[in-house]
Amino acid sequence: DSGVTQTPKHLITATGQRVTLRCSPRSGDLSVYWYQQSLDQGLQFLIQYYNGEERAKGNILERFSAQQFPDLHSELNLSSLELGDSALYFCASSGGGGGQETQYFGPGTRLLVL
Amino acid sequence: ELKVEQNPLFLSMQEGKNYTIYCNYSTTSDRLYWYRQDPGKSLESLFVLLSNGAVKQEGRLMASLDTKARLSTLHITAAVHDLSATYFCAVDMGHQFYFGTGTSLTVIP
């Protein structure tokens, strides 16, 4: 158990809908990262937050947005969903602001868009 | 955009044998990570390599980084079945992370 929690574990929805994925980092970790894993695109970094502020942005679509709240949990919002958004979404947390620390991954949310 | 290539993509090896997984990347970076993923599971961090010449070892796995060659290796010594998993390298470029395609390792008794 990494100490990172994600909800829900599974999500099935329809095209055009909007969903929210939630991540609670390990106690004391300030950084949260979001990743997408799919068969066709592999593992992709989406976005990083550090202590409530956006730190780095990767291949995150404009239809997707994220935020980190004062209690350090984070949410990833996916809107106008398309079939191709079906994937595993992981969040990870680490202790500091940079990328040099070990990242601890949550169990993931499996999203299926029908 | 930074490209990260891993090879081999698939590796089947006998228990007790040694092998190396290679991770090449296209742009200078001095931060590289190795992860393990078991089927249907999340990622587990194995190594964080932060400088040229960095070498880290944990059990039967040893990782190294050559930033000048833009190459990292993950060496497996005397493989055991429990090492069967997919291994990913990832390069940190300005806090953005670029992953390799993964190496699916199967250790055969």
Side-chain angles (χ1 to χ4, degrees):
Chain A
D1 184 359
S2 67
V4 179
T5 61
Q6 288 186 250
T7 57
K9 289 186 178 179
H10 303 276
L11 199 48
I12 302 175
T13 188
T15 54
Q17 296 297 305
R18 172 190 170 94
V19 296
T20 297
L21 312 184
R22 181 187 170 105
C23 170
S24 294
R26 292 190 325 151
S27 177
D29 282 357
L30 299 178
S31 282
V32 170
Y33 311 77
W34 285 98
Y35 298 92
Q36 180 195 60
Q37 186 176 31
S38 62
L39 282 176
D40 55 345
Q41 296 190 0
L43 267 164
Q44 294 207 70
F45 166 70
L46 297 179
I47 198 164
Q48 179 198 357
Y49 281 85
Y50 172 70
N51 202 22
E53 299 291 325
E54 182 183 305
R55 183 69 175 237
K57 187 178 281 191
N59 293 327
I60 187 166
L61 300 173
E62 286 190 9
R63 301 182 284 110
F64 296 1
S65 65
Q67 55 184 326
Q68 185 180 28
F69 294 87
D71 67 352
L72 300 178
H73 91 272
S74 180
E75 293 181 355
L76 178 67
N77 300 295
L78 316 176
S79 62
S80 303
L81 284 167
E82 302 176 359
L83 296 178
D85 297 327
S86 297
L88 258 174
Y89 292 85
F90 291 109
C91 79
S93 72
S94 69
Q100 52 264 50
E101 297 90 356
T102 298
Q103 293 185 25
Y104 296 88
F105 281 74
T109 293
R110 187 175 294 276
L111 173 66
L112 179 59
V113 182
L114 300 176
Chain B
E1 181 179 303
L2 187 147
K3 301 292 184 187
V4 183
E5 293 184 352
Q6 275 183 249
N7 66 83
L9 296 183
F10 299 94
L11 176 56
S12 180
M13 56 190 298
Q14 286 188 314
E15 278 191 334
K17 298 293 187 182
N18 305 330
Y19 209 82
T20 300
I21 299 171
Y22 297 88
C23 174
N24 291 89
Y25 51 99
S26 60
T27 306
T28 300
S29 172
D30 57 4
R31 295 175 183 166
L32 190 135
Y33 306 77
W34 283 97
Y35 297 96
R36 167 184 173 143
Q37 187 176 35
D38 292 309
K41 302 289 186 181
S42 185
L43 280 83
E44 174 190 353
S45 179
L46 294 175
F47 300 107
V48 180
L49 303 170
L50 299 178
S51 61
N52 185 41
V55 177
K56 290 196 174 178
Q57 182 164 6
E58 180 74 33
R60 301 174 187 275
L61 301 177
M62 183 174 70
S64 65
L65 178 62
D66 182 343
T67 59
K68 294 179 181 178
R70 300 175 189 169
L71 170 68
S72 180
T73 61
L74 180 66
H75 187 72
I76 302 155
T77 302
V80 294
H81 180 69
D82 285 351
L83 290 179
S84 297
T86 298
Y87 293 84
F88 293 94
C89 63
V91 177
D92 177 356
M93 278 291 296
H95 305 307
Q96 296 195 30
F97 299 87
Y98 297 87
F99 284 81
T101 49
T103 295
S104 177
L105 170 65
T106 302
V107 180
I108 304 168

